[in-house]
Amino acid sequence: SDYRPAAFEVVGQDGCCACELRYRGYEIIDGSVALPGLPSVWAREDQAQTLRLILSDELLGLQVELYYTVFEHSGAITRHTVFRNQGGGKLKLKKALSMSLDMKHAPARMIQLSGTALREHWIEQRELGIGETYLESTRGISSHQQNPFFALVEHQTTETVGDAYGVSLVYSGNFLAGVSCDMYRSARVQIGIHPTNFGWQLDAGEQFCTPQAVLCYSPKGLNGMSEKFHDLFCNQLYRGRWKDRPRPIVLNTWEAFYFGLDHQRVLELAGRAAKAGIEMLVLDDGWFGKRNSDNCSLGDWTVNTEKLPGGLEGFAEKLHRLGLRFGLWLEPEMISPDSDLYRAHPDWCLHVLNRYRTQQRNQLILDMSRQEIQDYLIDTISGLLRGGAIDYIKWDMNRNFDEVGSAALPPEDMKSLHVRYMLGLYRVLDTLTSRFPDVLFESCSGGGGRFDPGMLAYMPQTWTSDDTDGVERVG
């Protein structure tokens, strides 16, 4: 019997959590395979090969497919799993990690990137002792506090010498990652969707695909491992036109004006910026609705003509005459209780029926699991971008999740809401970035709260932290 942490848990129709997978076959595929609804590292047929292992439990009617893609140039390996209900009854996944790897001899230490808002991605090192060493996020986002990445190293490993094993997750929501060591110091290394508040019902014929895990090894220390991740993510994660283009030098209006945007004052700033060699001006929060403070109007993405009498198109035209490109700040996943959108659709936010709706920053979170909300955002943002006046979008997301419930999901599916939210967000991002390939999208989440490969797949630029102290950011 194996009493170490399981890679997955499935409940059969008898209510028991028991599964015995048997090997059924394999397939070798040139290149990578797409993950339905999820971002992933990709490769052409001449760049990688994928091994598909097929396992099944005939009693449950469950087929499990393990995918291993080996990238020739970087030596990286990606992992994900597909669960298929091939029986006639219902199955329920309680846990579905992306990767589980057994190491006969546990490395000495685990390195993680931890912190908090304004102080993200500090290097933390822990000795791997007997028992479990985990990092996690249950905040609905990958979080300021923990990043979905860790490295395993020996005591003698340095930046340039020694074994370094890196693990990352191409996902932007709740995650669990870490190592379990037994009394013989053999290790089980795992990463994937956090099992807390997770559940996915598989009806007959349905499937569930886990996010993609990325594994890199280098005998040349932490720098060698980092180079492999950089090579893979820079060249084979983002697919758009901005992958290899130089980024523009940007001036953002936020700390110059905050909510007090004024057409003439911003144009005066833009004129000075153009003379200084700035290439793009980004109009931050305060340009829409009745947004004169942070207590209203999120969701009402219509221009405030008192601040911008000529609208966005007229303002953009004046910037373009100065030789500047035009960028715009949005926080599309949020809704203010004091907004026209909330008054029209009070059930569109994440909430639990008859429970208090906790606000952070005077705002709630839209239920991105619902297709009508996804379609609303796609149509609204497409309307802003369709004229071609906007060159850049800063996509912000400024709070964690509280009461996670949906007015559109039945009780038996409520545990799947965290994952459905991310799938909905990825659908919106995939649609918009494909529809407007010339627009540069930048990801932000109160700074570095969602700095992960999942967002990088759609947005090749990330605001890493709201800590704008130059010395600390260099450090």
Side-chain angles (χ1 to χ4, degrees):
S1 295
D2 188 344
Y3 293 99
R4 295 173 294 177
F8 74 97
E9 295 180 14
V10 60
V11 180
Q13 295 181 73
D14 58 3
C16 295
C17 194
C19 183
E20 185 177 2
L21 294 177
R22 300 281 182 164
Y23 171 76
R24 303 299 177 189
Y26 77 96
E27 178 185 12
I28 295 178
I29 305 164
D30 289 332
S32 60
V33 296
L35 279 65
L38 288 164
S40 62
V41 179
W42 55 273
R44 299 190 308 266
E45 291 184 357
D46 61 340
Q47 294 177 314
Q49 280 193 319
T50 298
L51 171 65
R52 172 177 172 254
L53 292 177
I54 305 168
L55 315 170
S56 70
D57 183 314
E58 300 296 337
L59 187 61
L60 285 175
L62 175 68
Q63 179 170 296
V64 178
E65 300 171 9
L66 308 179
Y67 289 83
Y68 300 79
T69 300
V70 181
F71 292 78
E72 182 177 358
H73 179 69
S74 65
I77 298 174
T78 62
R79 274 278 294 111
H80 73 275
T81 304
V82 175
F83 299 88
R84 301 183 191 274
N85 183 353
Q86 296 187 322
K90 296 180 184 292
L91 300 174
K92 184 158 188 178
L93 288 170
K94 292 178 59 183
K95 183 179 185 181
L97 300 184
S98 298
M99 183 276 296
S100 186
L101 171 69
D102 289 345
M103 303 177 72
K104 187 170 181 61
H105 301 290
R109 294 179 310 187
M110 185 169 87
I111 298 175
Q112 64 196 68
L113 303 177
S114 302
T116 187
L118 307 180
R119 192 165 54 86
E120 302 92 336
H121 315 133
W122 283 33
I123 297 174
E124 298 286 340
Q125 300 194 40
R126 290 194 275 176
E127 295 291 319
L128 284 180
I130 305 303
E132 298 178 358
T133 306
Y134 284 122
L135 58 145
E136 63 183 358
S137 173
T138 56
R139 294 169 178 261
I141 56 176
S142 47
S143 81
H144 300 84
Q145 286 67 29
Q146 304 290 357
N147 191 269
F149 159 85
F150 65 94
L152 302 177
V153 298
E154 303 296 347
H155 285 129
Q156 64 270 26
T157 301
T158 67
E159 280 293 317
T160 56
V161 177
D163 292 336
Y165 302 85
V167 181
S168 186
L169 189 66
V170 186
Y171 189 63
S172 310
N174 292 344
F175 74 90
L176 180 71
V179 183
S180 174
C181 289
D182 66 14
M183 296 301 293
Y184 305 100
R185 287 202 59 79
S186 64
R188 175 160 288 177
V189 183
Q190 297 180 323
I191 196 167
I193 294 171
H194 204 298
T196 297
N197 288 324
F198 169 79
W200 196 278
Q201 184 164 290
L202 285 175
D203 292 336
E206 292 184 341
Q207 70 173 38
F208 178 80
C209 180
T210 71
Q212 187 182 67
V214 182
L215 294 79
C216 288
Y217 163 77
S218 175
K220 298 181 180 180
L222 290 167
N223 191 62
M225 177 203 67
S226 298
E227 287 179 345
K228 289 178 180 288
F229 276 115
H230 290 170
D231 175 74
L232 192 70
F233 289 162
C234 288
N235 294 306
Q236 293 175 273
L237 181 58
Y238 178 71
R239 298 170 182 259
R241 298 180 186 176
W242 281 95
K243 181 164 73 76
D244 299 314
R245 291 185 182 181
R247 303 294 186 264
I249 301 172
V250 171
L251 177 64
N252 186 293
T253 63
W254 177 243
E255 290 182 341
F257 303 111
Y258 295 104
F259 294 104
L261 292 175
D262 174 84
H263 176 79
Q264 191 57 43
R265 293 172 66 206
V266 176
L267 284 178
E268 291 173 1
L269 178 66
R272 295 197 297 271
K275 292 178 182 178
I278 301 296
E279 297 170 300
M280 179 181 295
L281 185 117
V282 175
L283 202 61
D284 207 278
D285 200 353
W287 62 267
F288 56 93
K290 300 175 183 177
R291 187 78 166 174
N292 296 311
S293 67
D294 69 355
N295 63 2
C296 70
S297 296
L298 289 174
D300 299 341
W301 303 110
T302 54
V303 67
N304 184 324
T305 54
E306 293 182 5
K307 296 181 179 182
L308 300 174
L312 294 176
E313 292 80 2
F315 185 74
E317 183 180 351
K318 292 181 179 180
L319 290 184
H320 291 158
R321 288 177 187 169
L322 292 170
L324 293 172
R325 284 178 276 182
F326 176 44
L328 195 66
W329 177 94
L330 294 170
E331 196 173 0
E333 297 160 72
M334 300 296 135
I335 183 170
S336 299
D338 182 7
S339 67
D340 293 338
L341 183 65
Y342 187 85
R343 283 183 281 272
H345 302 284
D347 67 324
W348 272 22
C349 66
L350 292 176
H351 68 282
V352 178
L353 187 64
N354 299 322
R355 298 285 184 181
Y356 180 75
R357 301 183 181 188
T358 300
Q359 297 180 34
Q360 293 177 25
R361 297 169 59 101
N362 302 303
Q363 62 197 55
L364 300 166
I365 304 176
L366 285 172
D367 182 358
M368 296 295 292
S369 72
R370 298 173 62 169
Q371 185 169 338
E372 66 266 40
I373 297 175
Q374 300 165 29
D375 291 341
Y376 165 78
L377 291 179
I378 290 170
D379 292 343
T380 300
I381 298 171
S382 293
L384 294 172
L385 297 177
R386 194 164 283 121
I390 298 170
D391 305 293
Y392 171 107
I393 290 291
K394 181 176 182 179
W395 187 294
D396 212 343
M397 195 278 190
N398 280 310
R399 59 158 293 178
N400 300 313
F401 290 45
D402 288 307
E403 300 84 17
V404 182
S406 172
L409 283 178
E412 61 270 20
D413 287 333
M414 204 64 74
K415 287 279 192 177
S416 68
L417 181 51
H418 275 289
V419 175
R420 292 181 189 274
Y421 181 100
M422 291 312 311
L423 293 174
L425 174 61
Y426 289 148
R427 174 180 175 253
V428 171
L429 294 178
D430 184 66
T431 302
L432 291 172
T433 54
S434 299
R435 187 175 289 178
F436 302 99
D438 291 326
V439 175
L440 173 58
F441 285 80
E442 179 184 68
S443 171
C444 180
S445 182
R450 206 160 57 182
F451 180 61
D452 57 68
M455 297 304 290
L456 188 61
Y458 303 102
M459 305 188 187
Q461 185 163 309
T462 300
W463 185 255
T464 55
S465 179
D466 278 349
D467 179 358
T468 53
D469 180 86
V471 173
E472 186 166 314
R473 293 190 80 173
V474 169

